[in-house]
Amino acid sequence: EVLQKQAAALQREIVQLKAGLRKYEETKEGFDKAWATWTEKHTERGNLLEKACRGLTEKSVGEIVAEIRRGADIDGPVEELKNALTGCNITQDRWEKLRTYLEMAEESPAKAWMKIMEQLRPLAELEDSDVSQGGTIPEVGDWDLTENMRTRVIQRLNPQQWLEIALISLKDKPVFFYCPNRTERIPFEHASAGQQATALLKVLLGESSGPLIIDQPEDDLDNCVIWEIAEAIWKAKGCRQLIFSSHNANLVVNGDAELVVQFDYRDESDRTKGTIVGEGAIDVQEVREAITQVMEGGEKAFKLRYEKYGF
């Protein structure tokens, strides 16, 4: 009878353990699926950013080259891991090897980082008692850690810490270059203000949907590139509405504006309020007069240039 009671108790314990094991397996399966989905979405995000970079390059007609550097910001995640593994006796040369592995990864630093974290996961899930009882210490295949280092990782790194670090995303970083002759590359931030403005205007005018509103597009533009911008305006105005606020009548004339609205101050002594003083197409006399007055000194200046240069 005593043996029967013990057997029944053991049977109940076995049933409970099996139920717990099934629950654990379901949880593990759910986590594995979530991890795979997160990895996939991270890759998709990078692919979308890469596609946007290609689109920007095409719209600028090659004057701007946009590229994506996958997982470019490795410093932050590596420092977080290093802080978590303080006391594991991981030498500086091992950390340098990890950085080199991430930077030189064939696929991308982001995928290499996820791979390293997946290899560290078994160490985070083991208990110190598992090692003291003679259990096998898993290796980290792509990071050369000694057995002593891996033992200390088991002691230091718990699943919650591992998850927090594993979910640090290595962000993909876009970089931009200005290419004046389609072969030379200048970091975009080092290009002149005029070069930047010209290239960006071409990109904006290359978009095909929605109205485009720009305040003083002539800022930083050399007169020699106004004609290039005018040609881009001709192409763009056929598929979208363009609204420019400008002090440069060259854009108005060369861009063949369909409607010109002239503004002025209501009171010259109080330049806080404006009013419309004229509007119409370029062939309207009042509009032509306004354009002539605004454009580099008015009609008198035109005549003087004509007489001097013999245009």
Side-chain angles (χ1 to χ4, degrees):
E1 184 178 348
V2 174
L3 291 175
Q4 287 177 344
K5 289 181 178 180
Q6 290 177 345
L10 288 172
Q11 185 62 37
R12 287 194 297 274
E13 187 176 351
I14 290 172
V15 171
Q16 291 174 351
L17 288 172
K18 286 183 176 180
L21 182 60
R22 283 196 300 271
K23 186 176 180 180
Y24 168 79
E25 289 175 345
E26 290 172 0
T27 302
K28 182 178 182 300
E29 182 181 353
F31 174 81
D32 290 341
K33 287 182 179 179
W35 174 264
T37 300
W38 181 82
T39 303
E40 181 183 350
K41 294 301 179 184
H42 187 281
T43 303
E44 287 178 2
R45 183 184 65 180
N47 292 341
L48 288 173
L49 187 55
E50 187 172 21
K51 182 179 179 181
C53 286
R54 288 197 302 269
L56 176 60
T57 301
E58 292 171 1
K59 287 172 184 175
S60 72
V61 199
E63 285 194 19
I64 300 175
V65 172
E67 297 177 346
I68 182 170
R69 291 180 181 169
R70 299 273 187 165
D73 59 337
I74 65 174
D75 290 339
V78 170
E79 282 303 311
E80 288 291 334
L81 181 61
K82 193 173 184 178
N83 291 336
L85 300 184
T86 299
C88 292
N89 292 342
I90 300 176
T91 55
Q92 184 60 33
D93 67 303
R94 293 299 202 290
W95 288 110
E96 292 303 323
K97 286 181 180 179
L98 175 61
R99 288 177 181 274
T100 301
Y101 168 76
L102 295 174
E103 290 171 351
M104 303 301 291
E106 290 185 6
E107 294 180 297
S108 72
K111 286 187 177 180
W113 168 255
M114 294 174 188
K115 190 176 180 182
I116 286 289
M117 295 311 301
E118 187 63 33
Q119 293 171 2
L120 284 172
R121 178 179 167 186
L123 298 179
E125 292 176 344
L126 282 175
E127 299 287 344
D128 192 24
S129 58
D130 297 328
V131 178
S132 62
Q133 294 173 6
T136 303
I137 303 177
E139 295 189 2
V140 183
D142 293 300
W143 190 17
D144 182 24
L145 298 180
T146 65
E147 183 175 324
N148 178 61
M149 293 174 184
R150 285 179 276 128
T151 301
R152 289 180 176 271
V153 170
I154 293 172
Q155 297 168 348
R156 295 277 180 177
L157 190 64
N158 60 52
Q160 181 61 36
Q161 289 175 309
W162 173 86
L163 182 59
E164 290 174 357
I165 297 170
L167 292 179
I168 298 175
S169 174
L170 270 72
K171 294 180 175 58
D172 302 318
K173 179 182 177 182
V175 291
F176 306 94
F177 300 93
Y178 175 69
C179 303
N181 51 19
R182 307 300 189 272
T183 55
E184 182 184 3
R185 281 189 173 198
I186 304 171
F188 195 75
E189 62 272 19
H190 294 164
S192 70
Q195 291 171 328
Q196 293 177 351
T198 303
L200 290 173
L201 268 174
K202 288 181 179 179
V203 171
L204 291 172
L205 291 168
E207 296 285 350
S208 58
S209 61
L212 174 63
I213 302 175
I214 302 181
D215 182 26
Q216 293 184 224
E218 72 275 7
D219 282 1
D220 298 316
L221 291 182
D222 297 329
N223 284 331
C224 60
V225 300
I226 291 292
W227 190 255
E228 290 183 46
I229 298 302
E231 289 181 329
I233 289 173
W234 297 340
K235 294 177 182 177
K237 66 191 292 186
C239 57
R240 65 190 306 198
Q241 184 182 32
L242 306 179
I243 302 173
F244 291 171
S245 170
S246 175
H247 296 287
N248 189 322
N250 286 306
L251 279 176
V252 177
V253 175
N254 295 340
D256 194 21
E258 296 174 12
L259 175 64
V260 179
V261 180
Q262 182 188 7
F263 294 88
D264 204 345
Y265 297 111
R266 292 185 182 179
D267 184 352
E268 281 291 335
S269 62
D270 178 16
R271 297 194 169 193
T272 61
K273 298 178 181 179
T275 185
I276 296 174
V277 296
E279 61 180 296
I282 292 178
D283 58 357
V284 175
Q285 180 62 31
E286 292 80 2
V287 173
R288 292 204 307 270
E289 291 175 357
I291 292 173
T292 303
Q293 185 60 39
V294 171
M295 188 180 291
E296 300 185 27
E299 185 177 353
K300 184 178 180 180
F302 277 126
K303 289 181 178 179
L304 285 173
R305 282 196 293 272
Y306 175 80
E307 294 171 0
K308 183 174 183 179
Y309 298 112
F311 292 142

